[in-house]
Amino acid sequence: MRKYILYTLVLALIVTIGFGAKAVATSKKLYYNHGVGYMGLGKYPLAIKDFTQVISLDPKNAKAYFLRGIAYSKVGEYQRAVEDYNQAILIDPKLTEIYYNRGLAYKHLGQHQQAIEDFNRAISLQPNDAYAYYNRGIVCSKLGQYQQAIEDFNKALDLDSKDADFYCERGIAYRDSDQPLHAMFDFNKAIHLNPMSASAYHNRGLNYRKLGEHQESIKDYDKAIRLDPKYVDAYVGRGVSYAFLGKYQKALNDYDKAINLDPKNDEAFYYRAELNYHNKLNKIKPGDTKAEVIHQAGPPDLIETLGEVMSGHGPSKEKWTYIGPSEDTVVAFRYGKVKKIY
């Protein structure tokens, strides 16, 4: 009798464990599938929750870490994304897509060298991935490595000649490396392929501005703004062209609009300060307060430009004095990320 009871208890335990393991496996699959479904619907916070459940049930699930990393990137949590990609690589270094996606996260974090290393690895594993070349090109452009960037965009276009973004980014590399005619060809091609690209119109407008064709520049900025009424850079760019044409009130309106849309936009503050400094709108009155701009308060390239504008003596002095109706220049320094003043 005792043997029978013991046998029954052992059998029950085995059955329970079996059902428990099956239940865990079922739950894991269910959470995973739900997470994938939420990714497809663009509901990334819900996807993150489901992939987190999968990981709690199966800590060695590389794909769950990988997909949660993508979801984190989609909601702008790039550092968390990198951490998940790192974990996925530790578990399964053969998941080739991880390197490309981690490269994107590094790109958004401004960790350019790490991004390039990951795109290099992605390209070595998948040499026909046009987007790996394209994104490596963008990072190279940010580093001022324009020739390498152009070569990457060329390779991306060899693989996919119908992508407007590839032409647009190559145009930016050409423009920033002082090849505006090559840039114009690429911006025209990008607009031909995608007439709804606000970015292509904005960048062609900037290229026209570099060529001194401000009327054409304004037309392109107008189109960019019609396509995207919240395109801050287009308002700033159009304002600069208006100022060059002596349409100072229109320029001020554009700078004000840009600052309203983005209260930390350093370029808009800078150009508005420059407009007021030169008293183009006759707003400076005797006795207006002075705001000192300290040399250490901003990046050297912006400081040098401000120094020329504000003191007339270039970058040789340690500080300059801005006399005007506002503290726009100080604000521009506070947010200062300006790399080039056209």
Side-chain angles (χ1 to χ4, degrees):
M1 183 67 177
R2 287 180 180 176
K3 287 184 178 179
Y4 174 77
I5 293 172
L6 181 60
Y7 172 77
T8 303
L9 289 172
V10 170
L11 181 62
L13 181 60
I14 291 170
V15 169
T16 301
I17 291 172
F19 275 119
K22 187 175 181 180
V24 169
T26 301
S27 295
K28 181 176 69 175
K29 186 175 181 180
L30 190 63
Y31 283 123
Y32 184 89
N33 289 338
H34 278 176
V36 171
Y38 283 132
M39 291 283 283
L41 293 171
K43 297 182 177 181
Y44 302 113
L46 293 176
I48 289 169
K49 288 182 180 179
D50 278 332
F51 292 130
T52 300
Q53 289 290 342
V54 175
I55 291 166
S56 69
L57 295 169
D58 181 8
K60 296 295 183 182
N61 193 314
K63 287 187 177 179
Y65 279 108
F66 171 56
L67 291 173
R68 191 174 70 173
I70 293 176
Y72 275 133
S73 281
K74 293 293 187 181
V75 297
E77 296 191 42
Y78 300 110
Q79 188 56 51
R80 284 192 170 187
V82 167
E83 291 167 7
D84 272 357
Y85 295 142
N86 291 344
Q87 191 62 35
I89 289 171
L90 286 175
I91 298 167
D92 185 2
K94 294 180 180 179
L95 272 175
T96 57
E97 297 90 348
I98 297 175
Y99 298 100
Y100 171 76
N101 283 279
R102 190 174 66 177
L104 291 178
Y106 278 134
K107 185 183 80 169
H108 284 291
L109 289 169
Q111 298 178 27
H112 298 134
Q113 194 53 50
Q114 293 94 322
I116 287 175
E117 289 172 6
D118 270 349
F119 292 137
N120 289 345
R121 183 67 181 273
I123 288 167
S124 70
L125 294 168
Q126 295 179 305
N128 292 324
D129 185 347
Y131 280 93
Y133 289 103
Y134 165 69
N135 280 287
R136 189 174 69 179
I138 291 174
V139 176
C140 287
S141 274
K142 289 182 182 295
L143 293 172
Q145 300 170 5
Y146 300 117
Q147 188 54 46
Q148 179 59 54
I150 289 166
E151 290 174 11
D152 277 343
F153 296 135
N154 288 344
K155 183 62 177 178
L157 285 164
D158 286 342
L159 294 166
D160 182 359
S161 62
K162 300 296 183 183
D163 194 305
D165 291 340
F166 293 179
Y167 283 102
C168 191
E169 288 295 338
R170 189 175 69 176
I172 292 170
Y174 276 131
R175 184 191 68 214
D176 291 346
S177 59
D178 296 322
Q179 300 181 69
L181 298 181
H182 287 301
M184 193 64 74
F185 171 86
D186 277 350
F187 295 138
N188 289 341
K189 185 69 174 180
I191 290 168
H192 173 74
L193 290 170
N194 182 9
M196 301 302 290
S197 173
S199 176
Y201 281 111
H202 164 256
N203 279 289
R204 191 175 70 176
L206 180 51
N207 201 54
Y208 274 127
R209 200 174 91 199
K210 286 198 74 172
L211 291 168
E213 298 182 34
H214 296 290
Q215 293 287 7
E216 294 301 315
S217 176
I218 288 169
K219 290 177 185 177
D220 272 352
Y221 289 131
D222 287 344
K223 290 175 183 175
I225 290 167
R226 281 199 296 271
L227 289 167
D228 182 359
K230 294 184 178 181
Y231 203 148
V232 174
D233 289 344
Y235 286 105
V236 176
R238 189 173 68 178
V240 173
S241 283
Y242 276 137
F244 267 103
L245 294 174
K247 299 179 180 181
Y248 302 120
Q249 187 58 54
K250 286 188 174 183
L252 183 63
N253 292 343
D254 273 346
Y255 301 148
D256 287 344
K257 179 67 174 180
I259 290 167
N260 179 259
L261 290 170
D262 178 9
K264 293 187 177 182
N265 189 282
D266 51 299
E267 286 189 288
F269 278 114
Y270 170 82
Y271 285 120
R272 191 171 72 175
E274 186 182 48
L275 198 66
N276 286 328
Y277 175 79
H278 289 294
N279 204 19
K280 296 298 185 182
L281 296 167
N282 299 311
K283 288 187 176 181
I284 297 177
K285 301 291 188 295
D288 278 337
T289 59
K290 297 180 179 181
E292 290 187 334
V293 182
I294 307 302
H295 181 87
Q296 288 80 9
D301 44 6
L302 178 56
I303 289 167
E304 291 179 11
T305 305
L306 285 172
E308 292 166 5
V309 170
M310 295 165 61
S311 72
H313 299 295
S316 59
K317 293 189 175 182
E318 282 298 303
K319 65 180 180 180
W320 302 276
T321 302
Y322 165 55
I323 305 174
S326 72
E327 295 187 356
D328 284 348
T329 308
V330 178
V331 176
F333 266 86
R334 190 174 302 132
Y335 301 134
K337 297 179 182 178
V338 177
K339 292 185 178 179
K340 190 175 289 186
I341 303 296
Y342 296 107

Short mmCIF file of all heavy atoms in Angstrom, two decimals, residues 100-156:
data_model
loop_
_atom_site.label_atom_id
_atom_site.label_comp_id
_atom_site.label_asym_id
_atom_site.label_seq_id
_atom_site.Cartn_x
_atom_site.Cartn_y
_atom_site.Cartn_z
N TYR A 100 24.59 45.98 -36.79
CA TYR A 100 24.02 47.13 -37.50
C TYR A 100 23.15 47.97 -36.56
O TYR A 100 23.29 49.20 -36.49
CB TYR A 100 23.19 46.67 -38.70
CG TYR A 100 22.40 47.78 -39.35
CD1 TYR A 100 23.02 48.71 -40.17
CD2 TYR A 100 21.03 47.91 -39.13
CE1 TYR A 100 22.30 49.74 -40.75
CE2 TYR A 100 20.30 48.92 -39.71
CZ TYR A 100 20.93 49.84 -40.52
OH TYR A 100 20.21 50.85 -41.09
N ASN A 101 22.29 47.31 -35.81
CA ASN A 101 21.38 48.03 -34.93
C ASN A 101 22.10 48.69 -33.76
O ASN A 101 21.74 49.79 -33.34
CB ASN A 101 20.28 47.09 -34.43
CG ASN A 101 19.22 46.84 -35.49
OD1 ASN A 101 18.32 47.63 -35.69
ND2 ASN A 101 19.36 45.73 -36.21
N ARG A 102 23.13 48.02 -33.26
CA ARG A 102 23.92 48.66 -32.19
C ARG A 102 24.65 49.88 -32.76
O ARG A 102 24.79 50.91 -32.08
CB ARG A 102 24.89 47.68 -31.56
CG ARG A 102 25.55 48.24 -30.29
CD ARG A 102 26.40 47.21 -29.57
NE ARG A 102 27.57 46.82 -30.36
CZ ARG A 102 28.50 45.97 -29.93
NH1 ARG A 102 28.40 45.42 -28.73
NH2 ARG A 102 29.53 45.66 -30.70
N GLY A 103 25.11 49.77 -34.01
CA GLY A 103 25.74 50.91 -34.66
C GLY A 103 24.79 52.11 -34.73
O GLY A 103 25.20 53.26 -34.50
N LEU A 104 23.53 51.85 -35.05
CA LEU A 104 22.54 52.93 -35.09
C LEU A 104 22.37 53.58 -33.72
O LEU A 104 22.29 54.81 -33.60
CB LEU A 104 21.18 52.39 -35.56
CG LEU A 104 21.06 51.95 -37.01
CD1 LEU A 104 19.66 51.39 -37.27
CD2 LEU A 104 21.34 53.10 -37.97
N ALA A 105 22.33 52.75 -32.67
CA ALA A 105 22.18 53.29 -31.31
C ALA A 105 23.39 54.14 -30.95
O ALA A 105 23.26 55.24 -30.39
CB ALA A 105 21.99 52.15 -30.32
N TYR A 106 24.59 53.64 -31.26
CA TYR A 106 25.80 54.43 -30.99
C TYR A 106 25.77 55.75 -31.77
O TYR A 106 26.20 56.79 -31.28
CB TYR A 106 27.04 53.64 -31.39
CG TYR A 106 27.51 52.64 -30.36
CD1 TYR A 106 27.87 51.33 -30.73
CD2 TYR A 106 27.64 52.99 -29.01
CE1 TYR A 106 28.32 50.41 -29.79
CE2 TYR A 106 28.08 52.07 -28.07
CZ TYR A 106 28.43 50.78 -28.47
OH TYR A 106 28.87 49.88 -27.53
N LYS A 107 25.28 55.70 -33.01
CA LYS A 107 25.19 56.92 -33.82
C LYS A 107 24.31 57.96 -33.13
O LYS A 107 24.68 59.13 -33.04
CB LYS A 107 24.62 56.59 -35.21
CG LYS A 107 24.60 57.78 -36.16
CD LYS A 107 23.97 57.42 -37.50
CE LYS A 107 22.46 57.44 -37.40
NZ LYS A 107 21.80 57.36 -38.72
N HIS A 108 23.18 57.54 -32.62
CA HIS A 108 22.27 58.46 -31.93
C HIS A 108 22.87 58.97 -30.63
O HIS A 108 22.56 60.09 -30.20
CB HIS A 108 20.93 57.78 -31.66
CG HIS A 108 20.06 57.65 -32.87
ND1 HIS A 108 19.46 58.73 -33.47
CD2 HIS A 108 19.69 56.56 -33.60
CE1 HIS A 108 18.75 58.32 -34.52
NE2 HIS A 108 18.88 57.02 -34.62
N LEU A 109 23.73 58.18 -30.00
CA LEU A 109 24.37 58.60 -28.75
C LEU A 109 25.58 59.50 -29.01
O LEU A 109 26.19 60.01 -28.07
CB LEU A 109 24.82 57.37 -27.95
CG LEU A 109 23.71 56.54 -27.31
CD1 LEU A 109 24.28 55.22 -26.78
CD2 LEU A 109 23.03 57.30 -26.18
N GLY A 110 25.93 59.69 -30.30
CA GLY A 110 27.08 60.50 -30.63
C GLY A 110 28.41 59.80 -30.40
O GLY A 110 29.47 60.43 -30.40
N GLN A 111 28.36 58.48 -30.23
CA GLN A 111 29.58 57.69 -30.03
C GLN A 111 30.03 57.18 -31.41
O GLN A 111 29.84 56.02 -31.76
CB GLN A 111 29.32 56.56 -29.03
CG GLN A 111 28.93 57.08 -27.66
CD GLN A 111 28.63 55.97 -26.66
OE1 GLN A 111 29.14 54.87 -26.77
NE2 GLN A 111 27.79 56.26 -25.68
N HIS A 112 30.63 58.09 -32.16
CA HIS A 112 30.83 57.86 -33.58
C HIS A 112 31.81 56.73 -33.89
O HIS A 112 31.60 55.97 -34.82
CB HIS A 112 31.30 59.17 -34.23
CG HIS A 112 30.29 60.26 -34.13
ND1 HIS A 112 30.60 61.55 -33.76
CD2 HIS A 112 28.95 60.25 -34.34
CE1 HIS A 112 29.51 62.29 -33.75
NE2 HIS A 112 28.49 61.53 -34.09
N GLN A 113 32.89 56.65 -33.13
CA GLN A 113 33.87 55.61 -33.43
C GLN A 113 33.30 54.22 -33.19
O GLN A 113 33.51 53.30 -33.99
CB GLN A 113 35.13 55.81 -32.58
CG GLN A 113 36.32 54.98 -33.06
CD GLN A 113 36.63 55.21 -34.54
OE1 GLN A 113 36.75 56.35 -35.00
NE2 GLN A 113 36.75 54.13 -35.31
N GLN A 114 32.54 54.08 -32.09
CA GLN A 114 31.89 52.79 -31.83
C GLN A 114 30.89 52.45 -32.93
O GLN A 114 30.76 51.29 -33.33
CB GLN A 114 31.19 52.80 -30.46
CG GLN A 114 32.14 52.90 -29.28
CD GLN A 114 32.34 54.33 -28.83
OE1 GLN A 114 32.42 55.25 -29.65
NE2 GLN A 114 32.43 54.53 -27.53
N ALA A 115 30.18 53.48 -33.41
CA ALA A 115 29.21 53.27 -34.49
C ALA A 115 29.91 52.76 -35.74
O ALA A 115 29.46 51.80 -36.38
CB ALA A 115 28.45 54.55 -34.78
N ILE A 116 31.02 53.41 -36.10
CA ILE A 116 31.76 52.99 -37.30
C ILE A 116 32.25 51.56 -37.17
O ILE A 116 32.16 50.76 -38.12
CB ILE A 116 32.93 53.96 -37.57
CG1 ILE A 116 32.40 55.29 -38.10
CG2 ILE A 116 33.93 53.35 -38.56
CD1 ILE A 116 33.46 56.35 -38.29
N GLU A 117 32.76 51.20 -35.99
CA GLU A 117 33.24 49.83 -35.78
C GLU A 117 32.11 48.82 -35.98
O GLU A 117 32.32 47.75 -36.59
CB GLU A 117 33.85 49.70 -34.39
CG GLU A 117 35.17 50.43 -34.24
CD GLU A 117 35.67 50.47 -32.80
OE1 GLU A 117 35.03 49.83 -31.94
OE2 GLU A 117 36.68 51.15 -32.54
N ASP A 118 30.93 49.14 -35.49
CA ASP A 118 29.80 48.22 -35.66
C ASP A 118 29.34 48.15 -37.11
O ASP A 118 29.00 47.08 -37.61
CB ASP A 118 28.64 48.62 -34.74
CG ASP A 118 28.73 47.95 -33.38
OD1 ASP A 118 29.56 47.03 -33.22
OD2 ASP A 118 27.99 48.35 -32.47
N PHE A 119 29.31 49.29 -37.79
CA PHE A 119 28.93 49.26 -39.21
C PHE A 119 29.98 48.51 -40.03
O PHE A 119 29.63 47.79 -40.98
CB PHE A 119 28.74 50.68 -39.75
CG PHE A 119 27.55 51.40 -39.16
CD1 PHE A 119 27.63 52.73 -38.76
CD2 PHE A 119 26.33 50.74 -39.01
CE1 PHE A 119 26.54 53.38 -38.23
CE2 PHE A 119 25.23 51.40 -38.46
CZ PHE A 119 25.34 52.72 -38.07
N ASN A 120 31.25 48.65 -39.65
CA ASN A 120 32.29 47.85 -40.32
C ASN A 120 32.02 46.36 -40.17
O ASN A 120 32.12 45.59 -41.14
CB ASN A 120 33.67 48.17 -39.74
CG ASN A 120 34.17 49.56 -40.11
OD1 ASN A 120 33.64 50.20 -41.02
ND2 ASN A 120 35.18 50.04 -39.40
N ARG A 121 31.68 45.97 -38.94
CA ARG A 121 31.40 44.55 -38.68
C ARG A 121 30.15 44.09 -39.44
O ARG A 121 30.13 43.00 -40.03
CB ARG A 121 31.20 44.33 -37.18
CG ARG A 121 30.98 42.88 -36.77
CD ARG A 121 32.22 42.03 -37.01
NE ARG A 121 32.00 40.63 -36.65
CZ ARG A 121 32.16 40.13 -35.43
NH1 ARG A 121 32.54 40.93 -34.43
NH2 ARG A 121 31.96 38.85 -35.18
N ALA A 122 29.13 44.95 -39.45
CA ALA A 122 27.90 44.61 -40.18
C ALA A 122 28.17 44.42 -41.66
O ALA A 122 27.66 43.49 -42.30
CB ALA A 122 26.84 45.69 -39.96
N ILE A 123 29.01 45.31 -42.23
CA ILE A 123 29.33 45.22 -43.66
C ILE A 123 30.15 43.97 -43.96
O ILE A 123 29.95 43.32 -44.99
CB ILE A 123 30.07 46.50 -44.10
CG1 ILE A 123 29.09 47.68 -44.14
CG2 ILE A 123 30.73 46.32 -45.47
CD1 ILE A 123 29.73 49.04 -44.26
N SER A 124 31.06 43.62 -43.04
CA SER A 124 31.85 42.41 -43.27
C SER A 124 30.97 41.16 -43.25
O SER A 124 31.26 40.18 -43.94
CB SER A 124 32.94 42.29 -42.20
OG SER A 124 32.39 41.98 -40.93
N LEU A 125 29.90 41.20 -42.47
CA LEU A 125 28.99 40.05 -42.38
C LEU A 125 27.94 40.07 -43.49
O LEU A 125 27.50 39.01 -43.96
CB LEU A 125 28.30 40.03 -41.01
CG LEU A 125 29.21 39.77 -39.81
CD1 LEU A 125 28.47 40.07 -38.51
CD2 LEU A 125 29.70 38.33 -39.81
N GLN A 126 27.52 41.27 -43.89
CA GLN A 126 26.51 41.41 -44.94
C GLN A 126 26.95 42.51 -45.91
O GLN A 126 26.48 43.64 -45.84
CB GLN A 126 25.14 41.75 -44.32
CG GLN A 126 24.58 40.64 -43.44
CD GLN A 126 23.24 40.99 -42.83
OE1 GLN A 126 23.08 42.02 -42.17
NE2 GLN A 126 22.26 40.14 -43.07
N PRO A 127 27.85 42.19 -46.82
CA PRO A 127 28.45 43.21 -47.70
C PRO A 127 27.49 43.86 -48.69
O PRO A 127 27.86 44.83 -49.35
CB PRO A 127 29.55 42.43 -48.44
CG PRO A 127 29.19 41.00 -48.30
CD PRO A 127 28.45 40.86 -47.02
N ASN A 128 26.27 43.35 -48.80
CA ASN A 128 25.29 43.96 -49.71
C ASN A 128 24.21 44.73 -48.97
O ASN A 128 23.14 45.00 -49.53
CB ASN A 128 24.65 42.88 -50.59
CG ASN A 128 25.64 42.30 -51.58
OD1 ASN A 128 26.50 43.01 -52.11
ND2 ASN A 128 25.55 41.01 -51.83
N ASP A 129 24.49 45.10 -47.74
CA ASP A 129 23.53 45.87 -46.95
C ASP A 129 23.75 47.36 -47.23
O ASP A 129 24.65 47.99 -46.67
CB ASP A 129 23.72 45.57 -45.46
CG ASP A 129 22.66 46.25 -44.60
OD1 ASP A 129 21.94 47.13 -45.10
OD2 ASP A 129 22.55 45.89 -43.41
N ALA A 130 22.90 47.92 -48.08
CA ALA A 130 23.05 49.32 -48.48
C ALA A 130 22.95 50.27 -47.29
O ALA A 130 23.67 51.28 -47.23
CB ALA A 130 22.00 49.67 -49.53
N TYR A 131 22.09 49.94 -46.33
CA TYR A 131 21.88 50.86 -45.20
C TYR A 131 23.06 50.89 -44.25
O TYR A 131 23.28 51.89 -43.55
CB TYR A 131 20.59 50.51 -44.46
CG TYR A 131 19.38 51.04 -45.18
CD1 TYR A 131 18.69 50.26 -46.10
CD2 TYR A 131 18.96 52.35 -44.96
CE1 TYR A 131 17.59 50.77 -46.78
CE2 TYR A 131 17.86 52.87 -45.63
CZ TYR A 131 17.18 52.07 -46.54
OH TYR A 131 16.11 52.58 -47.22
N ALA A 132 23.84 49.82 -44.21
CA ALA A 132 25.05 49.85 -43.38
C ALA A 132 26.05 50.84 -43.96
O ALA A 132 26.66 51.64 -43.22
CB ALA A 132 25.66 48.46 -43.30
N TYR A 133 26.22 50.84 -45.28
CA TYR A 133 27.10 51.83 -45.93
C TYR A 133 26.54 53.25 -45.73
O TYR A 133 27.29 54.19 -45.44
CB TYR A 133 27.22 51.54 -47.42
CG TYR A 133 28.03 50.31 -47.76
CD1 TYR A 133 27.39 49.13 -48.13
CD2 TYR A 133 29.42 50.33 -47.71
CE1 TYR A 133 28.12 47.98 -48.44
CE2 TYR A 133 30.15 49.19 -48.02
CZ TYR A 133 29.50 48.03 -48.39
OH TYR A 133 30.22 46.90 -48.69
N TYR A 134 25.24 53.38 -45.91
CA TYR A 134 24.58 54.68 -45.80
C TYR A 134 24.78 55.28 -44.40
O TYR A 134 25.20 56.45 -44.27
CB TYR A 134 23.09 54.50 -46.08
CG TYR A 134 22.18 55.63 -45.69
CD1 TYR A 134 22.21 56.84 -46.35
CD2 TYR A 134 21.25 55.47 -44.65
CE1 TYR A 134 21.36 57.88 -46.00
CE2 TYR A 134 20.40 56.49 -44.30
CZ TYR A 134 20.45 57.69 -44.97
OH TYR A 134 19.60 58.71 -44.62
N ASN A 135 24.55 54.48 -43.36
CA ASN A 135 24.69 55.01 -42.01
C ASN A 135 26.14 55.23 -41.62
O ASN A 135 26.46 56.17 -40.89
CB ASN A 135 23.98 54.09 -41.01
CG ASN A 135 22.49 54.31 -40.99
OD1 ASN A 135 22.02 55.31 -40.47
ND2 ASN A 135 21.74 53.39 -41.58
N ARG A 136 27.04 54.40 -42.13
CA ARG A 136 28.46 54.66 -41.88
C ARG A 136 28.85 55.97 -42.56
O ARG A 136 29.64 56.76 -42.02
CB ARG A 136 29.32 53.51 -42.38
CG ARG A 136 30.79 53.64 -41.96
CD ARG A 136 31.62 52.43 -42.34
NE ARG A 136 31.81 52.31 -43.77
CZ ARG A 136 32.52 51.35 -44.37
NH1 ARG A 136 33.09 50.40 -43.61
NH2 ARG A 136 32.66 51.29 -45.68
N GLY A 137 28.28 56.22 -43.74
CA GLY A 137 28.55 57.47 -44.43
C GLY A 137 28.11 58.68 -43.63
O GLY A 137 28.81 59.70 -43.57
N ILE A 138 26.93 58.59 -43.01
CA ILE A 138 26.43 59.70 -42.19
C ILE A 138 27.38 59.99 -41.04
O ILE A 138 27.70 61.16 -40.74
CB ILE A 138 25.02 59.38 -41.65
CG1 ILE A 138 24.00 59.35 -42.81
CG2 ILE A 138 24.60 60.40 -40.60
CD1 ILE A 138 22.62 58.90 -42.40
N VAL A 139 27.85 58.93 -40.37
CA VAL A 139 28.78 59.13 -39.25
C VAL A 139 30.08 59.74 -39.73
O VAL A 139 30.62 60.66 -39.10
CB VAL A 139 29.02 57.79 -38.52
CG1 VAL A 139 30.06 57.98 -37.42
CG2 VAL A 139 27.74 57.24 -37.92
N CYS A 140 30.60 59.26 -40.86
CA CYS A 140 31.83 59.83 -41.41
C CYS A 140 31.66 61.32 -41.73
O CYS A 140 32.56 62.13 -41.49
CB CYS A 140 32.26 59.06 -42.66
SG CYS A 140 32.94 57.42 -42.31
N SER A 141 30.48 61.68 -42.25
CA SER A 141 30.21 63.10 -42.53
C SER A 141 30.26 63.92 -41.25
O SER A 141 30.82 65.02 -41.22
CB SER A 141 28.84 63.26 -43.19
OG SER A 141 28.92 63.11 -44.58
N LYS A 142 29.68 63.39 -40.18
CA LYS A 142 29.68 64.11 -38.90
C LYS A 142 31.10 64.31 -38.38
O LYS A 142 31.39 65.28 -37.69
CB LYS A 142 28.84 63.35 -37.87
CG LYS A 142 27.33 63.40 -38.14
CD LYS A 142 26.57 62.67 -37.07
CE LYS A 142 25.06 62.69 -37.35
NZ LYS A 142 24.49 64.05 -37.29
N LEU A 143 31.99 63.38 -38.72
CA LEU A 143 33.38 63.47 -38.29
C LEU A 143 34.23 64.30 -39.26
O LEU A 143 35.43 64.45 -39.05
CB LEU A 143 33.97 62.07 -38.16
CG LEU A 143 33.39 61.20 -37.04
CD1 LEU A 143 33.93 59.78 -37.14
CD2 LEU A 143 33.72 61.79 -35.67
N GLY A 144 33.60 64.82 -40.31
CA GLY A 144 34.33 65.61 -41.29
C GLY A 144 35.13 64.77 -42.28
O GLY A 144 35.94 65.30 -43.05
N GLN A 145 34.87 63.46 -42.30
CA GLN A 145 35.56 62.55 -43.22
C GLN A 145 34.72 62.44 -44.50
O GLN A 145 34.14 61.40 -44.81
CB GLN A 145 35.76 61.19 -42.56
CG GLN A 145 36.60 61.25 -41.29
CD GLN A 145 36.60 59.94 -40.51
OE1 GLN A 145 36.05 58.93 -40.94
NE2 GLN A 145 37.22 59.95 -39.34
N TYR A 146 34.68 63.54 -45.25
CA TYR A 146 33.73 63.65 -46.35
C TYR A 146 34.02 62.69 -47.50
O TYR A 146 33.09 62.13 -48.09
CB TYR A 146 33.67 65.09 -46.84
CG TYR A 146 33.24 66.06 -45.78
CD1 TYR A 146 34.08 67.08 -45.34
CD2 TYR A 146 31.99 65.94 -45.17
CE1 TYR A 146 33.69 67.97 -44.35
CE2 TYR A 146 31.59 66.82 -44.17
CZ TYR A 146 32.45 67.83 -43.77
OH TYR A 146 32.06 68.69 -42.78
N GLN A 147 35.29 62.49 -47.83
CA GLN A 147 35.59 61.60 -48.94
C GLN A 147 35.17 60.17 -48.64
O GLN A 147 34.59 59.48 -49.48
CB GLN A 147 37.09 61.64 -49.28
CG GLN A 147 37.46 60.89 -50.55
CD GLN A 147 36.65 61.34 -51.75
OE1 GLN A 147 36.48 62.54 -52.00
NE2 GLN A 147 36.10 60.38 -52.51
N GLN A 148 35.44 59.72 -47.41
CA GLN A 148 35.00 58.38 -47.01
C GLN A 148 33.48 58.30 -47.02
O GLN A 148 32.90 57.29 -47.44
CB GLN A 148 35.53 58.04 -45.62
CG GLN A 148 35.10 56.67 -45.10
CD GLN A 148 35.54 55.52 -45.98
OE1 GLN A 148 36.72 55.40 -46.27
NE2 GLN A 148 34.60 54.68 -46.42
N ALA A 149 32.83 59.36 -46.56
CA ALA A 149 31.36 59.38 -46.55
C ALA A 149 30.82 59.26 -47.97
O ALA A 149 29.90 58.49 -48.23
CB ALA A 149 30.87 60.68 -45.90
N ILE A 150 31.40 60.03 -48.90
CA ILE A 150 30.94 60.00 -50.29
C ILE A 150 31.13 58.61 -50.89
O ILE A 150 30.25 58.10 -51.60
CB ILE A 150 31.68 61.08 -51.12
CG1 ILE A 150 31.19 62.47 -50.70
CG2 ILE A 150 31.47 60.86 -52.62
CD1 ILE A 150 32.07 63.61 -51.18
N GLU A 151 32.25 57.97 -50.56
CA GLU A 151 32.48 56.61 -51.05
C GLU A 151 31.42 55.64 -50.50
O GLU A 151 30.94 54.76 -51.23
CB GLU A 151 33.88 56.15 -50.66
CG GLU A 151 34.98 56.87 -51.42
CD GLU A 151 36.37 56.52 -50.93
OE1 GLU A 151 36.49 55.56 -50.13
OE2 GLU A 151 37.34 57.19 -51.33
N ASP A 152 31.06 55.81 -49.24
CA ASP A 152 30.02 54.96 -48.66
C ASP A 152 28.66 55.20 -49.32
O ASP A 152 27.92 54.25 -49.61
CB ASP A 152 29.92 55.19 -47.15
CG ASP A 152 30.95 54.38 -46.37
OD1 ASP A 152 31.51 53.43 -46.93
OD2 ASP A 152 31.18 54.70 -45.19
N PHE A 153 28.33 56.46 -49.56
CA PHE A 153 27.06 56.76 -50.22
C PHE A 153 27.06 56.23 -51.66
O PHE A 153 26.03 55.76 -52.16
CB PHE A 153 26.78 58.26 -50.20
CG PHE A 153 26.59 58.82 -48.82
CD1 PHE A 153 27.21 60.01 -48.44
CD2 PHE A 153 25.81 58.17 -47.89
CE1 PHE A 153 27.04 60.52 -47.17
CE2 PHE A 153 25.63 58.67 -46.60
CZ PHE A 153 26.25 59.86 -46.25
N ASN A 154 28.23 56.30 -52.32
CA ASN A 154 28.34 55.73 -53.66
C ASN A 154 28.02 54.23 -53.64
O ASN A 154 27.30 53.72 -54.51
CB ASN A 154 29.75 55.94 -54.23
CG ASN A 154 30.02 57.38 -54.60
OD1 ASN A 154 29.10 58.19 -54.72
ND2 ASN A 154 31.29 57.72 -54.78
N LYS A 155 28.59 53.54 -52.65
CA LYS A 155 28.35 52.09 -52.54
C LYS A 155 26.88 51.80 -52.25
O LYS A 155 26.29 50.88 -52.83
CB LYS A 155 29.23 51.50 -51.43
CG LYS A 155 29.13 49.99 -51.28
CD LYS A 155 29.56 49.25 -52.54
CE LYS A 155 29.51 47.74 -52.33
NZ LYS A 155 29.88 47.01 -53.57
N ALA A 156 26.29 52.60 -51.36
CA ALA A 156 24.87 52.42 -51.05
C ALA A 156 24.02 52.61 -52.31
O ALA A 156 23.07 51.86 -52.55
CB ALA A 156 24.44 53.40 -49.96
#
